[in-house]
Amino acid sequence: MITLVIEDRRPLLGQLISAPDPHIELSPLGSAIFYEEHTKIPKIYPNVEVVKICVMPDHIHMILNVIADFPPKKNLGTLVNGFKAGCRQAWRRCGGELGDSLFRTKYNDKILWRKGQLDKWKKYLDDNPRRLDEKRKNPDLFTVMHDIDINDIKCQMVGNKYLLNWPDKVAVIVHRSDSDEDFQKKKAHWLSFAESGGILVSAAIAEREREVFHEAMERGYSLIWLRDNGFPDLYKPSGRSFDACSEGRLLQISPWEYHYDNRTITRDQCLYLNRLAEAIASD
């Protein structure tokens, strides 16, 4: 999946229309990109098919399927640069200034390799206008907050910060030594606690912790989720997390700055997040 962002995030590609259903009304440039420019990719690169394109006011998502090797001296970078050049030409035809930049220099690429990930991202792109509409209606719930002091720890947060002030909170932590019977008792207690209006606090690292977390999310309960990575400035949650955030029942917290590295969480970090969960729950 390729993401290209307009320089300075100018809404050159269209505008969000909220009613009756949120959708993007494309500008002449957005229409040219959606109906013409991306269709040139497989003509120039027969080894690549465009699975899906999503044009938003200030950025573009494309899912590409590379079905064979690129020809010599060609690669994903040359494809993207060629596409951007075609978009710039379309922009000039629509009245854009010749000397101005259209896209940011860099682009984001993400390999969709896990089972089911492609279908999830297709749905994500289809749902993009609705999420943008929700984000504009509830901006405070989707703004990354930096240097928030939690138990003398500087944290990043996204979501409903007032969940921290709720008096009834409990930490969801499953230990390796917990038997299946122990876990089922704890799970029933935690879900009953949340059903009664309490807030579950968890890093949701262990498989059984994630089981509780996902079921609570599905039931519409309130959650504080501790993350092992921070949040980029333009971060927004996806899927059920997005809906929970827009409804004010989710707060995500990380004690660490955001990084792009593909790191595996360490045992010390797991224990650290669990201690933070207990501290938040007992505060």
Side-chain angles (χ1 to χ4, degrees), residues 4 39 100 110 170 172 212 259 274:
L4 302 172
T39 65
D100 289 349
K110 180 184 185 70
V170 65
V172 175
V212 175
H259 62 78
N274 284 343

Side-chain angles (χ1 to χ4, degrees), residues 30-46:
S31 294
I33 292 172
F34 185 82
Y35 292 107
E36 300 172 21
E37 294 306 321
H38 89 275
T39 65
K40 298 176 183 177
I41 292 176
K43 297 175 183 177
I44 301 172
Y45 293 88

Side-chain angles (χ1 to χ4, degrees), residues 128-140:
N128 238 353
R130 182 190 68 85
R131 289 197 312 276
L132 177 59
D133 189 50
E134 290 287 342
K135 185 176 180 181
R136 288 185 177 178
K137 290 176 180 175
N138 304 284
D140 292 344

